[in-house]
Amino acid sequence: MEPLLEHFAIGVAAITGVLAARGKRVDLFGVVVLALVTAYGGGTVRDLLVGDTPVAWLRNPAYLLNASLVAVATFF
């Protein structure tokens, strides 16, 4: 159940990043970058502050794929 919730949360954060970029007339690459920063920024800072390295999205590449696909789908 926990990985499903993590994927859901990452997807929602990626959608938030895409919607933030929408009004700025950014191309697809910029949208994906902003979505990834939004999806992973807080979790990365948290993991680094508590000493949990490597960070979660580097341990499981499925998180990166999830955020990227959601960002591209939301863009179109």
Side-chain angles (χ1 to χ4, degrees):
M1 180 73 162
E2 184 177 319
L4 180 63
L5 289 174
E6 289 175 355
H7 279 285
F8 178 75
I10 288 171
V12 169
I15 290 171
T16 304
V18 172
L19 294 177
R22 187 173 170 189
K24 307 281 191 263
R25 298 180 42 98
V26 180
D27 64 346
L28 179 60
F29 179 75
V31 167
V32 171
V33 168
L34 186 59
L36 293 176
V37 168
T38 304
Y40 298 123
T44 300
V45 171
R46 179 204 60 223
D47 286 350
L48 292 175
L49 287 176
V50 298
D52 186 16
T53 56
V55 293
W57 59 272
L58 288 175
R59 285 191 301 249
N60 189 353
Y63 294 145
L64 185 61
L65 181 63
N66 176 17
S68 300
L69 291 177
V70 168
V72 170
T74 305
F75 179 80
F76 290 112

